[in-house]
């Protein structure tokens, strides 16, 4: 019997674009463990030089990688090119972050000794990547992990392995061997086996809250393992007292419908001051009506592609119908032109009248609108979720923003900016069901190495001054 395979298909056409054999979990981990000591012993400057070479390799493969990302995820080609730039830019950000977050320090201590603080790598780290950003988001874990001296097993999403394979090839061509940064093909079963494997020292995960909770539960009795969970959100944007309705509408549409709503930071809930409701919603609907959704290489270029597959499209359609049948009022209906393909239009629905709005991440182009009367109610509604990834205030005074910032329960809190496109020159992560207080971005260096405090003297020197006969 042939070994099991993973097959990747274009969402836009259903055409197969990639096929690969599932990895052997034990062999993959054993290879990583053998490779780790020599990699960790390399000078930091060598590891940094090699990841810079990786960035150059990505530049050489930029067109191929962008085309593969667009085909495999369905995102427009222009957006796939932007993802490739994020991959390249992450290298210098990670080098700066490691130098700042994990720098060596020496302090004077008693008896002319020193107190030193240095950092050590964990060992073998498992990176579990998502499908929505199949190169950038795993890379945001991989590069800091390698700089710190860890070896990496990278299992991409089974829905986007082709993009991950090109990423892995760029590491190999840069001089980082396939044993140091291993590309491991597999589905959920292989992911679970890697998570539970005794030879894996840590799990760096980006994906859904349900999967993240499963990982957290599986490793709850293993405090020795580093676990970083970057999960989704039921993110809120509050619109308050702004005359710039055209700009506000652009921020809302970008936040709700970029990447067809398949971003963990996407705005799911729009909270609007009642007195502004009609004017704001009129602008937002007019702009959403102009959004082009289509295949990645269409001309003119679409703003949105399809969602990842038909299962996702079916689930989002059912979710929209659920909201409609439980008190929601459609402002812009969810349209699926072809039931055999996962193309969906932007959708907007007023859920103010719903008694129990589902607190779930609808990972697609569905924006719920909630009308409120006062600012305290708006903040309370923004916090009416178990998630806590991103929140944004559009409009308002500096005093309003100060109050919003102080009370919004989220790891990313913005003012007059989208909820999407967080900067990796800052920490990126959330609280609640959005993360476990180990943000990625600039703070990825923190979970890729652990601090070691050392009291040091060149010669032993000690005396016992009390309690002796």
């Amino acid at each position: 019997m042939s070994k099991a395979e993973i097959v990747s298909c274009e969402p836009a056409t259903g055409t197969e674009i990639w096929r690969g054999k599932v990895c052997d979990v034990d062999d993959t981990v054993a290879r990583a463990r053998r490779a780790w000591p020599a990699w960790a012993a390399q000078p930091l400057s060598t590891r940094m030089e090699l990841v810079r070479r990786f960035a150059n390799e990505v530049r050489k493969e930029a067109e191929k990688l962008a085309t593969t990302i667009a085909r495999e995820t369905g995102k427009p080609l222009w957006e796939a090119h932007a993802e490739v730039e994020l991959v390249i830019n992450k290298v210098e950000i990670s080098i700066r972050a490691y130098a700042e977050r994990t720098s060596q320090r020496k302090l004077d201590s008693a008896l002319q000794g020193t107190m030193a603080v240095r950092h050590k790598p964990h060992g073998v780290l498992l990176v579990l990547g998502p499908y929505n950003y199949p190169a950038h988001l795993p890379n945001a874990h991989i590069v800091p992990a390698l700089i710190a001296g860890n070896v990496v097993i990278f299992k991409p999403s089974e829905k986007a392995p082709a993009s991950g394979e090109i990423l892995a090839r760029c590491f190999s061509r840069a001089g980082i061997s396939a044993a140091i940064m291993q590309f491991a093909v597999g589905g959920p079963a292989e992911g679970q086996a890697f998570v539970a494997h005794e030879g894996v020292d840590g799990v760096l995960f980006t994906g859904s809250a349900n999967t993240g909770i499963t990982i957290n539960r599986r490793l709850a009795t293993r405090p020795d393992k580093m676990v970083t969970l970057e999960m989704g959100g039921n993110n809120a944007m509050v619109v308050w007292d702004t005359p710039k309705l055209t700009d506000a509408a652009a921020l809302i549409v970008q936040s709700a419908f970029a990447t067809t709503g398949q971003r963990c930071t996407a705005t799911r809930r729009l909270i609007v001051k009642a007195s502004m409701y009609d004017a704001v919603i009129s602008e937002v609907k007019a702009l959403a009506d102009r959004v082009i959704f289509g295949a990645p290489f269409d001309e003119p270029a679409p703003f949105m592609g399809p969602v990842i597959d038909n299962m996702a499209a079916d689930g989002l359609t059912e979710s929209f119908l659920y909201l409609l049948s439980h008190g929601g009022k459609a402002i812009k209906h969810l349209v699926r032109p072809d039931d055999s393909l996962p193309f969906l239009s932007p959708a907007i629905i007023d859920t103010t009248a719903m008694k129990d709005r589902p607190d779930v991440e609808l990972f697609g182009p569905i924006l719920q609108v909630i009308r409120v009367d006062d600012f305290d109610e708006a903040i309370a509604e923004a916090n009416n979720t178990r998630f806590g990834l991103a929140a944004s205030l559009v409009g308002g005074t500096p005093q309003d923003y100060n109050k919003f910032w102080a009370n919004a329960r989220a790891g990313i809190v913005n003012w007059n900016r989208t909820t999407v496109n967080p900067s990796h020159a800052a920490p990126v992560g959330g609280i609640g069901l959005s993360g476990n207080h180990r943000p990625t971005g600039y703070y990825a260096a923190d979970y890729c190495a652990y601090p070691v405090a050392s009291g040091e003297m060149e010669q032993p020197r000690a005396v016992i001054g009390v309690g002796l006969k």
Side-chain angles (χ1 to χ4, degrees):
M1 180 181 292
S2 62
K3 195 172 183 181
E5 292 182 320
I6 296 291
V7 178
S8 179
C9 297
E10 290 187 13
T13 65
T15 303
E16 179 183 323
I17 63 170
W18 188 93
R19 180 182 292 263
K21 292 190 183 302
V22 169
C23 70
D24 184 297
V25 171
D26 289 333
D27 286 352
T28 301
V29 175
R31 194 177 306 118
R33 296 225 65 87
R34 289 193 298 270
W36 177 51
W39 177 248
Q42 290 286 335
L44 175 61
S45 59
T46 299
R47 299 196 298 266
M48 288 182 172
E49 174 59 28
L50 288 170
V51 296
R52 284 186 167 123
R53 291 183 190 175
F54 158 74
N56 288 332
E57 292 298 324
V58 175
R59 289 185 180 97
K60 294 175 188 176
E61 293 278 349
E63 191 63 39
K64 181 177 182 180
L65 179 55
T67 299
T68 302
I69 291 170
R71 291 184 67 195
E72 190 166 50
T73 66
K75 67 176 61 176
L77 183 60
W78 63 265
E79 188 178 356
H81 276 294
E83 179 172 352
V84 174
E85 286 301 309
L86 291 172
V87 171
I88 294 167
N89 295 338
K90 180 62 182 177
V91 169
E92 291 303 324
I93 289 172
S94 298
I95 288 172
R96 290 198 305 272
Y98 189 84
E100 180 181 319
R101 303 289 300 175
T102 62
S103 59
Q104 296 187 19
R105 293 186 295 280
K106 284 197 173 185
L107 305 171
D108 292 337
S109 67
L111 302 176
Q112 298 180 334
T114 59
M115 174 57 68
V117 179
R118 306 180 186 89
H119 292 76
K120 290 184 178 182
H122 297 284
V124 177
L125 295 184
L126 170 68
V127 173
L128 297 173
Y131 63 77
N132 59 334
Y133 273 80
H136 166 53
L137 289 178
N139 188 66
H141 293 306
I142 293 168
V143 169
L146 292 173
I147 290 171
N150 303 284
V151 296
V152 170
I153 297 169
F154 165 39
K155 194 200 84 63
S157 166
E158 60 274 15
K159 298 181 181 183
S163 304
E165 185 180 48
I166 295 174
L167 197 70
R169 192 180 304 136
C170 288
F171 280 108
S172 179
R173 289 176 178 170
I176 299 170
S177 80
I180 293 167
M181 211 306 288
Q182 290 192 76
F183 174 69
V185 177
E190 286 72 33
Q192 292 166 17
F194 276 126
V195 166
H197 203 289
E198 285 296 324
V200 171
D201 298 301
V203 179
L204 314 183
F205 169 77
T206 301
S208 71
N210 286 340
T211 303
I213 289 168
T214 300
I215 293 170
N216 198 51
R217 186 178 292 123
R218 181 66 181 82
L219 298 178
T221 60
R222 296 301 302 269
D224 55 311
K225 291 201 179 194
M226 169 56 67
V227 181
T228 295
L229 304 174
E230 184 187 355
M231 301 182 287
N234 190 11
N235 309 300
M237 177 175 277
V238 174
V239 179
W240 210 261
D241 291 338
T242 177
K244 305 192 72 174
L245 296 183
T246 301
D247 298 273
L251 290 172
I252 294 162
V253 167
Q254 289 175 32
S255 296
F257 304 128
T259 321
T260 322
Q262 296 172 115
R263 295 195 192 185
C264 55
T265 51
T267 294
R268 312 289 175 200
R269 298 174 296 136
L270 177 64
I271 300 163
V272 184
K273 186 176 183 179
S275 61
M276 298 183 64
Y277 181 92
D278 290 340
V280 169
I281 297 307
S282 176
E283 287 279 348
V284 172
K285 184 180 185 301
L287 185 55
D289 284 340
R290 294 173 54 201
V291 166
I292 300 170
F293 62 102
F297 306 100
D298 282 357
E299 291 293 343
F303 181 76
M304 289 176 16
V307 294
I308 191 64
D309 56 25
N310 284 325
M311 184 181 296
D314 292 344
L316 289 162
T317 302
E318 291 172 8
S319 295
F320 191 80
L321 292 174
Y322 176 90
L323 295 175
L324 273 178
S325 62
H326 287 74
K329 179 182 177 183
I331 297 168
K332 180 175 172 58
H333 278 278
L334 186 72
V335 176
R336 187 175 181 181
D338 183 344
D339 286 342
S340 68
L341 293 172
F343 289 96
L344 298 174
S345 72
I348 307 170
I349 183 168
D350 188 312
T351 56
T352 306
M354 287 185 69
K355 290 183 179 180
D356 297 305
R357 287 185 290 274
D359 183 23
V360 295
E361 181 184 40
L362 298 180
F363 208 61
I366 298 174
L367 177 64
Q368 299 178 59
V369 184
I370 302 158
R371 183 193 313 232
V372 295
D373 293 314
D374 63 66
F375 197 58
D376 287 338
E377 186 183 357
I379 294 174
E381 190 58 61
N383 287 335
N384 186 24
T385 175
R386 300 165 298 161
F387 296 89
L389 183 54
S392 185
L393 172 65
V394 176
T397 64
Q399 292 75 25
D400 289 333
Y401 176 62
N402 288 341
K403 185 173 185 178
F404 183 75
W405 188 94
N407 291 281
R409 287 188 50 78
I412 300 167
V413 180
N414 294 338
W415 187 25
N416 291 321
R417 302 292 294 271
T418 67
T419 55
V420 294
N421 299 320
S423 170
H424 273 246
V428 179
I431 58 175
L433 294 188
S434 294
N436 64 335
H437 302 274
R438 291 196 174 97
T440 183
Y442 205 73
Y443 281 26
D446 295 21
Y447 58 71
C448 290
Y450 63 93
V452 178
S454 304
E456 300 170 346
M457 293 185 68
E458 291 189 1
Q459 296 291 336
R461 183 178 178 187
V463 63
I464 300 174
V466 67
L468 300 180
K469 294 182 180 179

